[in-house]
Amino acid sequence: MTTKPLPLTPELHAYLVAHGSTPDEVVRDLAEETLAALPGEAVMQVAPEQAAFLTFLTRLLGVRQAVEVGTFTGLSSLAIARGLAEGGRLTCFDISEEYTGVARRYWERAGVQDRIELRIGPAAETLRELPRERYLDFAFIDADKVGYPIYWDELVPRMRPGAVIAVDNTLRDGRVLAPRNADDRAIAAFNDAVIADVRVEAVMLPIADGVTLARVL
Ligand SMILES: C[S@@+](CC[C@H](N)C(=O)[O-])C[C@H]1O[C@@H](n2cnc3c(N)ncnc32)[C@H](O)[C@@H]1O
């Protein structure tokens, strides 16, 4: 057993990406368009290896009912939708018509638009409209960081036993160790709350900017 963490150099990261499922033309075009049209915001998009991981995980879990909070131009939602089981549905939440207008085009191009429903509005309010029963198999949280505890509290009671919540940016580029701004502090507090939450068991993975996987008991 090793307790020494492996430093992920840029070369090793490139190797890792090249040895996982590689992005297809739709994903490459979506990443390129997002960077060209929204250069200041493109950093919000999930990493390509993270998108591959989301498809893998969704497929592995046999997900039929999924929710995403924070859709942006659609890369993570596309990845989740592609992994859904036959007849599966993904409900996406975002506040921006502009960003999600791009997402809608790429869902259509990838042929997954029929499985996705988009709800526009502040997720703290729109999530409350979901059925109040334990029916969700998978959720991905990747919206405004200060909202994470609210999204968590809306989602956990709606997850069926054994369902998984994936949460993005839980390492904040390492700044969870020494938070520098409100978002860093929000995530550090959120991480503490997750590990103390007796309704879930959780692991943190050093994928991209840190992904927490919580299995709801
Ligand atoms: C980090 S980006 C999501 C990236 C996306 N998962 C992807 O792979 O491209 C965060 C998104 O959260 C949305 N957002 C911010 N505040 C929100 C709120 N209060 N309710 C819903 N969505 C919100 C933003 O419009 C933005 O599209």
Side-chain angles (χ1 to χ4, degrees), residues 34 41 43-47 54 68-77 93-96 99-100 119 121-124 126 140 142-145 147-148 151 168-169:
T34 302
E41 292 86 1
V43 66
M44 296 203 290
Q45 192 168 54
V46 292
L54 284 170
E68 173 181 86
V69 189
T71 297
F72 189 45
T73 56
L75 182 50
S76 52
S77 52
F93 294 86
D94 203 288
I95 41 167
S96 171
Y99 297 158
T100 56
R119 300 195 187 182
T126 47
F140 181 53
D142 187 21
D144 56 307
K145 307 311 159 198
Y148 277 24
Y151 310 145
D168 199 19
N169 306 113

Side-chain angles (χ1 to χ4, degrees), residues 180-212:
R180 286 191 216 147
N181 57 41
D183 283 355
D184 296 349
R185 282 189 289 279
I187 291 294
F190 173 79
N191 289 340
D192 290 345
V194 167
I195 213 62
D197 192 329
V198 295
R199 298 171 298 177
V200 303
E201 58 176 345
V203 290
M204 290 184 89
L205 304 179
I207 299 174
D209 191 27
V211 174
T212 293

